[in-house]
Amino acid sequence: MTIRSAPATVYPETDGMPLPDGEYQAPIYRRVVRDLDDHFREVPGVNVNGDTFIYYVEGNPRRSFSPDCYVVFGLTNAALHSLSLEGNNTYLLWEVGKAPDFILEIGSPSTAATDLDRKRELYAELGVGEYWRFDATGDEFYGEPLVGERLVDGEYRRLEMRLEDDGRVWAHSDALSLDLWWTDGDLRFWDPAKECWLLRREEERAGRLAAESRAGTAEARVAELEAELRRLRGE
């Protein structure tokens, strides 16, 4: 008698459905993930990602969630390798060895209720250290522009959110060692250690082009002065 082994469990990278409110959420989460990925790129053991399926029960592909943005610290080389394999876009909690330390959800019409209820409970159960919610509209989806919560004794406790006179809202993330700011519907990160905003790639590119332009102008001016000096010398 031939004994057949059970087929390996498949953990899909997608459910085949389009991202809920994708046209609204995608530009925001891509920018946020890119900002944090650039910031932590040189820090060992860190993984930054978003809009990927995280499976948390081995053998049960129905048990999954997909945060808009997450950051994990202190990963082993083996865990980092499993997350960086070509063609792999899933996060198997039992292989990685820990839940994300930081999760951010972006408010939208079809996801806000779940973000406030079922996902919040699940993240606490799995041990996600910080859970943040960002509402670009200000209050349409979550009732407030930005809120961060820290897990304490298995329950989330709200962080102190500070309101500036100009309407900006911010708070400090211990997980990221950064301040998160809601400013005119945008989410920005402030590095208190360096006392500067995290630059976005387009800002870095614009700064580099401006510097190159200034350098080119200076070189041209030096060449003009050298030519004038040679003329005066009769060379």
Side-chain angles (χ1 to χ4, degrees), residues 131-167:
Y131 177 37
W132 290 72
R133 295 179 295 278
F134 167 74
D135 187 339
T137 69
D139 60 8
E140 182 177 340
F141 304 124
Y142 296 140
E144 54 190 325
L146 179 69
V147 61
E149 297 180 300
R150 181 182 297 115
L151 193 65
V152 179
D153 297 330
E155 296 183 354
Y156 281 121
R157 295 185 183 177
R158 183 185 177 93
L159 299 173
E160 179 185 359
M161 308 303 297
R162 303 178 184 182
L163 176 63
E164 299 294 316
D165 292 338
D166 57 8

mmCIF file of all heavy atoms in Angstrom, residues 131-167:
data_model
loop_
_atom_site.group_PDB
_atom_site.id
_atom_site.type_symbol
_atom_site.label_atom_id
_atom_site.label_comp_id
_atom_site.label_asym_id
_atom_site.label_seq_id
_atom_site.Cartn_x
_atom_site.Cartn_y
_atom_site.Cartn_z
ATOM 1 N N TYR A 131 0.224 50.130 18.123
ATOM 2 C CA TYR A 131 -0.782 50.141 17.058
ATOM 3 C C TYR A 131 -1.202 51.588 16.829
ATOM 4 O O TYR A 131 -1.705 52.256 17.725
ATOM 5 C CB TYR A 131 -1.985 49.286 17.444
ATOM 6 C CG TYR A 131 -3.111 49.285 16.427
ATOM 7 C CD1 TYR A 131 -2.839 49.317 15.061
ATOM 8 C CD2 TYR A 131 -4.443 49.246 16.838
ATOM 9 C CE1 TYR A 131 -3.863 49.318 14.130
ATOM 10 C CE2 TYR A 131 -5.474 49.231 15.914
ATOM 11 C CZ TYR A 131 -5.194 49.276 14.561
ATOM 12 O OH TYR A 131 -6.199 49.269 13.628
ATOM 13 N N TRP A 132 -1.001 52.067 15.586
ATOM 14 C CA TRP A 132 -1.315 53.446 15.213
ATOM 15 C C TRP A 132 -2.373 53.471 14.115
ATOM 16 O O TRP A 132 -2.434 52.565 13.276
ATOM 17 C CB TRP A 132 -0.059 54.158 14.702
ATOM 18 C CG TRP A 132 0.958 54.429 15.759
ATOM 19 C CD1 TRP A 132 1.774 53.516 16.377
ATOM 20 C CD2 TRP A 132 1.286 55.690 16.320
ATOM 21 N NE1 TRP A 132 2.587 54.126 17.284
ATOM 22 C CE2 TRP A 132 2.315 55.468 17.278
ATOM 23 C CE3 TRP A 132 0.824 56.997 16.123
ATOM 24 C CZ2 TRP A 132 2.870 56.507 18.014
ATOM 25 C CZ3 TRP A 132 1.390 58.022 16.865
ATOM 26 C CH2 TRP A 132 2.397 57.763 17.792
ATOM 27 N N ARG A 133 -3.180 54.524 14.131
ATOM 28 C CA ARG A 133 -4.187 54.714 13.088
ATOM 29 C C ARG A 133 -4.093 56.156 12.576
ATOM 30 O O ARG A 133 -4.052 57.105 13.365
ATOM 31 C CB ARG A 133 -5.593 54.428 13.628
ATOM 32 C CG ARG A 133 -5.780 52.984 14.028
ATOM 33 C CD ARG A 133 -7.165 52.698 14.595
ATOM 34 N NE ARG A 133 -7.424 53.378 15.854
ATOM 35 C CZ ARG A 133 -7.024 52.935 17.048
ATOM 36 N NH1 ARG A 133 -6.308 51.811 17.126
ATOM 37 N NH2 ARG A 133 -7.313 53.597 18.144
ATOM 38 N N PHE A 134 -4.062 56.275 11.256
ATOM 39 C CA PHE A 134 -3.902 57.570 10.591
ATOM 40 C C PHE A 134 -5.115 57.830 9.709
ATOM 41 O O PHE A 134 -5.495 56.991 8.890
ATOM 42 C CB PHE A 134 -2.625 57.571 9.744
ATOM 43 C CG PHE A 134 -2.522 58.734 8.789
ATOM 44 C CD1 PHE A 134 -2.239 60.006 9.254
ATOM 45 C CD2 PHE A 134 -2.713 58.554 7.431
ATOM 46 C CE1 PHE A 134 -2.143 61.074 8.372
ATOM 47 C CE2 PHE A 134 -2.618 59.606 6.542
ATOM 48 C CZ PHE A 134 -2.331 60.876 7.019
ATOM 49 N N ASP A 135 -5.723 59.000 9.892
ATOM 50 C CA ASP A 135 -6.898 59.394 9.113
ATOM 51 C C ASP A 135 -6.565 60.674 8.363
ATOM 52 O O ASP A 135 -6.487 61.753 8.957
ATOM 53 C CB ASP A 135 -8.086 59.609 10.052
ATOM 54 C CG ASP A 135 -9.393 59.864 9.307
ATOM 55 O OD1 ASP A 135 -9.334 60.269 8.133
ATOM 56 O OD2 ASP A 135 -10.462 59.670 9.915
ATOM 57 N N ALA A 136 -6.328 60.537 7.064
ATOM 58 C CA ALA A 136 -5.909 61.697 6.269
ATOM 59 C C ALA A 136 -6.978 62.783 6.255
ATOM 60 O O ALA A 136 -6.665 63.975 6.104
ATOM 61 C CB ALA A 136 -5.579 61.261 4.842
ATOM 62 N N THR A 137 -8.250 62.402 6.424
ATOM 63 C CA THR A 137 -9.334 63.385 6.379
ATOM 64 C C THR A 137 -9.400 64.212 7.654
ATOM 65 O O THR A 137 -10.041 65.264 7.681
ATOM 66 C CB THR A 137 -10.688 62.699 6.179
ATOM 67 O OG1 THR A 137 -11.037 61.960 7.362
ATOM 68 C CG2 THR A 137 -10.661 61.759 4.993
ATOM 69 N N GLY A 138 -8.799 63.733 8.705
ATOM 70 C CA GLY A 138 -8.875 64.418 9.985
ATOM 71 C C GLY A 138 -9.743 63.685 10.985
ATOM 72 O O GLY A 138 -9.326 63.417 12.104
ATOM 73 N N ASP A 139 -10.972 63.317 10.576
ATOM 74 C CA ASP A 139 -11.852 62.627 11.529
ATOM 75 C C ASP A 139 -12.941 61.795 10.880
ATOM 76 O O ASP A 139 -13.770 61.191 11.568
ATOM 77 C CB ASP A 139 -12.502 63.644 12.475
ATOM 78 C CG ASP A 139 -13.356 64.678 11.748
ATOM 79 O OD1 ASP A 139 -13.579 64.530 10.524
ATOM 80 O OD2 ASP A 139 -13.807 65.632 12.405
ATOM 81 N N GLU A 140 -12.968 61.722 9.556
ATOM 82 C CA GLU A 140 -14.082 61.059 8.871
ATOM 83 C C GLU A 140 -14.152 59.566 9.168
ATOM 84 O O GLU A 140 -15.240 58.991 9.287
ATOM 85 C CB GLU A 140 -13.954 61.277 7.368
ATOM 86 C CG GLU A 140 -15.098 60.673 6.558
ATOM 87 C CD GLU A 140 -14.981 60.966 5.077
ATOM 88 O OE1 GLU A 140 -14.264 61.930 4.713
ATOM 89 O OE2 GLU A 140 -15.596 60.226 4.294
ATOM 90 N N PHE A 141 -13.001 58.909 9.314
ATOM 91 C CA PHE A 141 -12.991 57.453 9.453
ATOM 92 C C PHE A 141 -12.794 56.979 10.893
ATOM 93 O O PHE A 141 -13.443 56.035 11.341
ATOM 94 C CB PHE A 141 -11.900 56.861 8.562
ATOM 95 C CG PHE A 141 -12.030 57.243 7.119
ATOM 96 C CD1 PHE A 141 -10.988 57.870 6.446
ATOM 97 C CD2 PHE A 141 -13.203 57.004 6.433
ATOM 98 C CE1 PHE A 141 -11.115 58.231 5.121
ATOM 99 C CE2 PHE A 141 -13.345 57.364 5.100
ATOM 100 C CZ PHE A 141 -12.302 57.986 4.444
ATOM 101 N N TYR A 142 -11.901 57.613 11.623
ATOM 102 C CA TYR A 142 -11.593 57.186 12.991
ATOM 103 C C TYR A 142 -12.113 58.159 14.048
ATOM 104 O O TYR A 142 -12.004 57.889 15.235
ATOM 105 C CB TYR A 142 -10.084 57.022 13.178
ATOM 106 C CG TYR A 142 -9.451 55.942 12.341
ATOM 107 C CD1 TYR A 142 -8.203 56.145 11.738
ATOM 108 C CD2 TYR A 142 -10.068 54.709 12.146
ATOM 109 C CE1 TYR A 142 -7.603 55.154 10.988
ATOM 110 C CE2 TYR A 142 -9.476 53.717 11.385
ATOM 111 C CZ TYR A 142 -8.235 53.952 10.807
ATOM 112 O OH TYR A 142 -7.643 52.959 10.055
ATOM 113 N N GLY A 143 -12.614 59.300 13.603
ATOM 114 C CA GLY A 143 -13.084 60.295 14.549
ATOM 115 C C GLY A 143 -11.988 61.216 15.043
ATOM 116 O O GLY A 143 -12.248 62.149 15.807
ATOM 117 N N GLU A 144 -10.752 60.988 14.624
ATOM 118 C CA GLU A 144 -9.609 61.818 14.985
ATOM 119 C C GLU A 144 -8.513 61.575 13.961
ATOM 120 O O GLU A 144 -8.473 60.527 13.310
ATOM 121 C CB GLU A 144 -9.123 61.493 16.393
ATOM 122 C CG GLU A 144 -8.812 60.029 16.618
ATOM 123 C CD GLU A 144 -8.579 59.710 18.086
ATOM 124 O OE1 GLU A 144 -8.016 60.566 18.799
ATOM 125 O OE2 GLU A 144 -8.965 58.617 18.524
ATOM 126 N N PRO A 145 -7.613 62.525 13.787
ATOM 127 C CA PRO A 145 -6.614 62.409 12.711
ATOM 128 C C PRO A 145 -5.552 61.349 12.941
ATOM 129 O O PRO A 145 -5.119 60.690 11.999
ATOM 130 C CB PRO A 145 -5.988 63.803 12.645
ATOM 131 C CG PRO A 145 -6.246 64.411 13.984
ATOM 132 C CD PRO A 145 -7.550 63.846 14.459
ATOM 133 N N LEU A 146 -5.093 61.199 14.181
ATOM 134 C CA LEU A 146 -3.988 60.283 14.454
ATOM 135 C C LEU A 146 -4.090 59.806 15.894
ATOM 136 O O LEU A 146 -4.363 60.597 16.798
ATOM 137 C CB LEU A 146 -2.645 61.003 14.244
ATOM 138 C CG LEU A 146 -1.369 60.207 14.496
ATOM 139 C CD1 LEU A 146 -1.196 59.128 13.420
ATOM 140 C CD2 LEU A 146 -0.141 61.133 14.509
ATOM 141 N N VAL A 147 -3.887 58.510 16.098
ATOM 142 C CA VAL A 147 -3.857 57.974 17.454
ATOM 143 C C VAL A 147 -2.860 56.822 17.513
ATOM 144 O O VAL A 147 -2.772 56.011 16.594
ATOM 145 C CB VAL A 147 -5.255 57.495 17.911
ATOM 146 C CG1 VAL A 147 -5.777 56.389 17.016
ATOM 147 C CG2 VAL A 147 -5.224 57.039 19.368
ATOM 148 N N GLY A 148 -2.085 56.785 18.591
ATOM 149 C CA GLY A 148 -1.159 55.686 18.814
ATOM 150 C C GLY A 148 -1.481 55.018 20.134
ATOM 151 O O GLY A 148 -1.867 55.683 21.101
ATOM 152 N N GLU A 149 -1.312 53.699 20.176
ATOM 153 C CA GLU A 149 -1.573 52.942 21.390
ATOM 154 C C GLU A 149 -0.413 52.005 21.667
ATOM 155 O O GLU A 149 0.159 51.432 20.739
ATOM 156 C CB GLU A 149 -2.866 52.132 21.262
ATOM 157 C CG GLU A 149 -4.109 52.994 21.081
ATOM 158 C CD GLU A 149 -5.371 52.154 20.957
ATOM 159 O OE1 GLU A 149 -5.447 51.337 20.009
ATOM 160 O OE2 GLU A 149 -6.266 52.302 21.804
ATOM 161 N N ARG A 150 -0.099 51.843 22.948
ATOM 162 C CA ARG A 150 0.982 50.952 23.361
ATOM 163 C C ARG A 150 0.393 49.783 24.138
ATOM 164 O O ARG A 150 -0.512 49.949 24.961
ATOM 165 C CB ARG A 150 1.991 51.709 24.217
ATOM 166 C CG ARG A 150 3.168 50.853 24.675
ATOM 167 C CD ARG A 150 4.134 51.633 25.561
ATOM 168 N NE ARG A 150 4.732 52.736 24.810
ATOM 169 C CZ ARG A 150 4.525 54.018 25.109
ATOM 170 N NH1 ARG A 150 3.743 54.355 26.101
ATOM 171 N NH2 ARG A 150 5.122 54.961 24.393
ATOM 172 N N LEU A 151 0.916 48.587 23.866
ATOM 173 C CA LEU A 151 0.423 47.386 24.536
ATOM 174 C C LEU A 151 1.009 47.302 25.945
ATOM 175 O O LEU A 151 2.229 47.263 26.119
ATOM 176 C CB LEU A 151 0.806 46.145 23.721
ATOM 177 C CG LEU A 151 0.117 44.835 24.107
ATOM 178 C CD1 LEU A 151 -1.379 44.920 23.848
ATOM 179 C CD2 LEU A 151 0.725 43.668 23.325
ATOM 180 N N VAL A 152 0.133 47.270 26.933
ATOM 181 C CA VAL A 152 0.539 47.166 28.336
ATOM 182 C C VAL A 152 -0.292 46.074 28.997
ATOM 183 O O VAL A 152 -1.521 46.175 29.046
ATOM 184 C CB VAL A 152 0.356 48.502 29.081
ATOM 185 C CG1 VAL A 152 0.777 48.350 30.551
ATOM 186 C CG2 VAL A 152 1.133 49.618 28.412
ATOM 187 N N ASP A 153 0.375 45.024 29.482
ATOM 188 C CA ASP A 153 -0.321 43.906 30.128
ATOM 189 C C ASP A 153 -1.438 43.339 29.263
ATOM 190 O O ASP A 153 -2.543 43.031 29.742
ATOM 191 C CB ASP A 153 -0.889 44.344 31.484
ATOM 192 C CG ASP A 153 0.196 44.748 32.469
ATOM 193 O OD1 ASP A 153 1.308 44.188 32.378
ATOM 194 O OD2 ASP A 153 -0.059 45.627 33.308
ATOM 195 N N GLY A 154 -1.156 43.216 27.963
ATOM 196 C CA GLY A 154 -2.096 42.595 27.046
ATOM 197 C C GLY A 154 -3.210 43.487 26.541
ATOM 198 O O GLY A 154 -4.069 43.035 25.778
ATOM 199 N N GLU A 155 -3.215 44.766 26.926
ATOM 200 C CA GLU A 155 -4.247 45.689 26.477
ATOM 201 C C GLU A 155 -3.604 46.974 25.949
ATOM 202 O O GLU A 155 -2.551 47.397 26.433
ATOM 203 C CB GLU A 155 -5.203 46.040 27.623
ATOM 204 C CG GLU A 155 -6.005 44.850 28.135
ATOM 205 C CD GLU A 155 -6.985 45.259 29.207
ATOM 206 O OE1 GLU A 155 -6.954 46.446 29.625
ATOM 207 O OE2 GLU A 155 -7.771 44.402 29.644
ATOM 208 N N TYR A 156 -4.279 47.580 24.973
ATOM 209 C CA TYR A 156 -3.743 48.820 24.414
ATOM 210 C C TYR A 156 -4.135 50.014 25.278
ATOM 211 O O TYR A 156 -5.292 50.147 25.693
ATOM 212 C CB TYR A 156 -4.244 49.027 22.984
ATOM 213 C CG TYR A 156 -3.488 48.198 21.971
ATOM 214 C CD1 TYR A 156 -4.151 47.280 21.159
ATOM 215 C CD2 TYR A 156 -2.115 48.315 21.840
ATOM 216 C CE1 TYR A 156 -3.457 46.511 20.234
ATOM 217 C CE2 TYR A 156 -1.413 47.559 20.934
ATOM 218 C CZ TYR A 156 -2.087 46.662 20.128
ATOM 219 O OH TYR A 156 -1.394 45.896 19.230
ATOM 220 N N ARG A 157 -3.129 50.852 25.525
ATOM 221 C CA ARG A 157 -3.349 52.095 26.242
ATOM 222 C C ARG A 157 -2.937 53.253 25.350
ATOM 223 O O ARG A 157 -1.858 53.243 24.757
ATOM 224 C CB ARG A 157 -2.554 52.118 27.550
ATOM 225 C CG ARG A 157 -3.018 51.060 28.549
ATOM 226 C CD ARG A 157 -2.287 51.185 29.868
ATOM 227 N NE ARG A 157 -2.679 50.123 30.796
ATOM 228 C CZ ARG A 157 -2.155 49.950 31.996
ATOM 229 N NH1 ARG A 157 -1.200 50.783 32.420
ATOM 230 N NH2 ARG A 157 -2.568 48.973 32.785
ATOM 231 N N ARG A 158 -3.778 54.223 25.288
ATOM 232 C CA ARG A 158 -3.596 55.352 24.393
ATOM 233 C C ARG A 158 -2.373 56.181 24.775
ATOM 234 O O ARG A 158 -2.123 56.460 25.951
ATOM 235 C CB ARG A 158 -4.849 56.223 24.437
ATOM 236 C CG ARG A 158 -4.842 57.411 23.490
ATOM 237 C CD ARG A 158 -6.086 58.248 23.745
ATOM 238 N NE ARG A 158 -6.090 59.420 22.906
ATOM 239 C CZ ARG A 158 -6.677 59.493 21.728
ATOM 240 N NH1 ARG A 158 -7.315 58.436 21.255
ATOM 241 N NH2 ARG A 158 -6.657 60.601 21.013
ATOM 242 N N LEU A 159 -1.599 56.567 23.760
ATOM 243 C CA LEU A 159 -0.476 57.467 23.969
ATOM 244 C C LEU A 159 -0.980 58.908 24.069
ATOM 245 O O LEU A 159 -2.074 59.229 23.601
ATOM 246 C CB LEU A 159 0.520 57.353 22.812
ATOM 247 C CG LEU A 159 1.161 55.980 22.604
ATOM 248 C CD1 LEU A 159 1.977 55.985 21.323
ATOM 249 C CD2 LEU A 159 2.043 55.603 23.785
ATOM 250 N N GLU A 160 -0.169 59.753 24.665
ATOM 251 C CA GLU A 160 -0.539 61.159 24.765
ATOM 252 C C GLU A 160 -0.401 61.818 23.387
ATOM 253 O O GLU A 160 0.696 61.917 22.838
ATOM 254 C CB GLU A 160 0.353 61.887 25.763
ATOM 255 C CG GLU A 160 0.031 63.366 25.893
ATOM 256 C CD GLU A 160 0.993 64.111 26.805
ATOM 257 O OE1 GLU A 160 1.911 63.448 27.351
ATOM 258 O OE2 GLU A 160 0.836 65.338 26.959
ATOM 259 N N MET A 161 -1.527 62.245 22.823
ATOM 260 C CA MET A 161 -1.522 62.914 21.531
ATOM 261 C C MET A 161 -1.510 64.424 21.771
ATOM 262 O O MET A 161 -2.342 64.949 22.510
ATOM 263 C CB MET A 161 -2.757 62.515 20.709
ATOM 264 C CG MET A 161 -2.972 61.009 20.582
ATOM 265 S SD MET A 161 -1.549 60.130 19.864
ATOM 266 C CE MET A 161 -1.490 60.861 18.225
ATOM 267 N N ARG A 162 -0.580 65.108 21.135
ATOM 268 C CA ARG A 162 -0.407 66.531 21.365
ATOM 269 C C ARG A 162 -0.944 67.335 20.178
ATOM 270 O O ARG A 162 -0.625 67.047 19.028
ATOM 271 C CB ARG A 162 1.076 66.837 21.597
ATOM 272 C CG ARG A 162 1.643 66.036 22.769
ATOM 273 C CD ARG A 162 3.104 66.292 22.980
ATOM 274 N NE ARG A 162 3.627 65.440 24.041
ATOM 275 C CZ ARG A 162 4.874 65.469 24.480
ATOM 276 N NH1 ARG A 162 5.744 66.319 23.938
ATOM 277 N NH2 ARG A 162 5.270 64.674 25.448
ATOM 278 N N LEU A 163 -1.732 68.339 20.495
ATOM 279 C CA LEU A 163 -2.353 69.180 19.480
ATOM 280 C C LEU A 163 -1.671 70.535 19.449
ATOM 281 O O LEU A 163 -1.606 71.240 20.459
ATOM 282 C CB LEU A 163 -3.847 69.355 19.785
ATOM 283 C CG LEU A 163 -4.631 70.300 18.865
ATOM 284 C CD1 LEU A 163 -4.630 69.773 17.431
ATOM 285 C CD2 LEU A 163 -6.055 70.475 19.382
ATOM 286 N N GLU A 164 -1.139 70.897 18.270
ATOM 287 C CA GLU A 164 -0.498 72.198 18.093
ATOM 288 C C GLU A 164 -1.551 73.256 17.742
ATOM 289 O O GLU A 164 -2.657 72.941 17.303
ATOM 290 C CB GLU A 164 0.554 72.123 16.985
ATOM 291 C CG GLU A 164 1.675 71.134 17.261
ATOM 292 C CD GLU A 164 2.543 71.543 18.432
ATOM 293 O OE1 GLU A 164 2.909 72.738 18.520
ATOM 294 O OE2 GLU A 164 2.849 70.669 19.272
ATOM 295 N N ASP A 165 -1.184 74.511 17.922
ATOM 296 C CA ASP A 165 -2.109 75.608 17.643
ATOM 297 C C ASP A 165 -2.547 75.639 16.186
ATOM 298 O O ASP A 165 -3.648 76.107 15.866
ATOM 299 C CB ASP A 165 -1.465 76.958 18.015
ATOM 300 C CG ASP A 165 -1.262 77.104 19.518
ATOM 301 O OD1 ASP A 165 -1.960 76.403 20.285
ATOM 302 O OD2 ASP A 165 -0.396 77.917 19.924
ATOM 303 N N ASP A 166 -1.690 75.164 15.282
ATOM 304 C CA ASP A 166 -2.023 75.189 13.855
ATOM 305 C C ASP A 166 -2.816 73.959 13.412
ATOM 306 O O ASP A 166 -3.055 73.774 12.217
ATOM 307 C CB ASP A 166 -0.758 75.315 13.008
ATOM 308 C CG ASP A 166 0.245 74.190 13.266
ATOM 309 O OD1 ASP A 166 -0.102 73.236 13.991
ATOM 310 O OD2 ASP A 166 1.371 74.266 12.741
ATOM 311 N N GLY A 167 -3.215 73.119 14.362
ATOM 312 C CA GLY A 167 -4.041 71.961 14.028
ATOM 313 C C GLY A 167 -3.281 70.671 13.828
ATOM 314 O O GLY A 167 -3.900 69.612 13.678
#
